[in-house]
Amino acid sequence: MNSFSSLMDGFGTALTPINLLWAAVGVLLGTAIGVLPGIGPAMAVALLLPVTYGLEPTGAFIMFAGIYYGAMFGGSTTSILLNTPGESAAVVAAMEGNPMARSGRGAQALAAAAIGHFAGGMIGTVLLVALAPKVADLAVDIGAPDYFALMVLAFIAVTSVLGSSRVRGLASLLIGLTLGLVGLDQMTGQQRLTFGSLQLADGIDVVIVAVGLFAIGEALWVAAHLRRTGGRAIPVGRPWLAKQDVERTWKSWLRGPLIGFPFGAIPAGGAEIPTFLSYVTEKRLSKHKDEWGKGAIEGVAGPESAASASAAGTLVSMLTLGLPTTAVAAVMLAAFQSYGIQPGPLLFERESELVWGLIASLFVGMVLLLALNLPLAPVWAKLLRIPRPYLYAGILFFAAVGAYAVGGEALDLVILLVIGLIGFGMRRYGLPVLPAVIGVILGPNAEQQLRRALQISDGSVRGLVDTPFSVTVYALIALILLWPLLRKPARVLLNARRTVRE
């Protein structure tokens, strides 16, 4: 009941005219940027992060929520129309959505995706309201060893499921941890990796790192490898679903959140895994198996619903534990820190109005997303006509302006370019970007919690595993690391049992 009353207070905050305006602006900007090829929610939030510095924290985060969900739908739009996913979570949408668009059913695919985002976001946010306060209450009793174990779990889980190999994921994490070391040691005051520069004593701002790795790195990569011609927009007509389409998709919309939300709430790498699981589930349960690969609408509805619910799930660990499990959550955590707010167990007590206003704005944002994007789908298709040289020149301009606005120092532009070159090199050698961003965000906190745990135990390593919670987390980490080695013998044993039964 307490959560329900707090949510009602949150609606009182989110439904004020100014906050409704910021939510609508966020949905529009997020969709407009997310619909462009190669630009996902993380880059959209990172690019627009400096724009919100003049806003009040509540209005800024309500706008971020709109950008988040708007950019997710935008990534699905370009994935369906041009077979060019705006983000990794939208890859599955292209598998069935693009064949639908090529066969003249792009309107139906976009409608199924929009309603899937609405259903998944609504159900996921309801679960967020129910679970987040309870997780926060439990997290109050978590000590330094437990927090360090959780951060190690986040590092291992993210590096294990992203990229083409674990080595590349760990290499990306190492880059992020190194960038996080720049500045003064919080406990000793000793300079680290500052090269004698006083301007680096405060460290490298996370916003500059995120914009450099995502926006600059992507722009340089596109300039180096892709053609300088805009994609051909596909006319989508009026988006609507026939009765037969609704009968085929409503169960998919409801099943998606059951898969997406749990993966978003735990450090499991974001929406990539649940979207693929949802796709496989819908394919197995479908009565129209001959349509799969040629444009089965269930293959769009289910994964999109799972992706949206996963986005709501990521906010559970981000708000209650301060652990970002996706790139967008990492950028939003940086935004919280830029306002002097630290997500964690006490956030619901110290910043109750902001948190519940943000959660209530998720419901408002879902309604705005559905109301605005169904009729505007043909407009988003026309945005894809922008020539890529102009598109990425604009990205570089806004990224530079945003980086300069962070500290007002010319050195920030140099750092931005250097980090952008690092991002380009990471794409060149197949290193995922997300572990680096999470390394920058969580690295200093993990170091601080490690030192606290060792100080409490007088330097004994046993102090890191002296609680049941930390032991459980490390057991889960061991399972994640050993699973590739155990998977093959398990398959052999299972096949042997099947052979004996036959």
Side-chain angles (χ1 to χ4, degrees), residues 35-36 77 81 231-236 376-387:
V35 79
L36 300 173
T77 301
L81 296 178
R232 181 179 61 86
I234 299 175
V236 296
L376 288 179
V379 177
W380 302 136
K382 291 181 180 178
L383 288 177
L384 299 172
R385 298 181 184 274
I386 298 176

Side-chain angles (χ1 to χ4, degrees), residues 49 52-53 57 60-61 64 151 180 186 202 204-210 318-319 321-324 328-344 347 351 354 406 437-446 448-449:
L49 180 58
T52 63
Y53 279 167
F61 287 107
F64 281 140
M151 291 180 184
Q186 295 181 2
D202 291 333
I204 302 176
D205 194 281
V206 179
V207 176
I208 296 178
V209 175
M318 198 273 284
L319 294 175
L321 301 174
L323 293 175
V328 180
V331 177
M332 290 185 70
L333 180 59
F336 271 100
Q337 294 174 346
S338 69
Y339 281 99
I341 301 171
Q342 180 59 48
L347 181 65
E351 301 289 344
L354 185 150
V406 171
V437 177
I438 289 185
V440 174
I441 294 283
L442 294 185
N445 293 333
Q448 189 175 9
Q449 298 296 342

Side-chain angles (χ1 to χ4, degrees), residues 76-83 98 101 106 110 234 236 377 380-381 384:
S76 302
T77 301
T78 183
S79 180
I80 291 170
L81 296 178
L82 293 182
N83 201 26
N98 189 249
L110 287 174
I234 299 175
V236 296
W380 302 136
L384 299 172

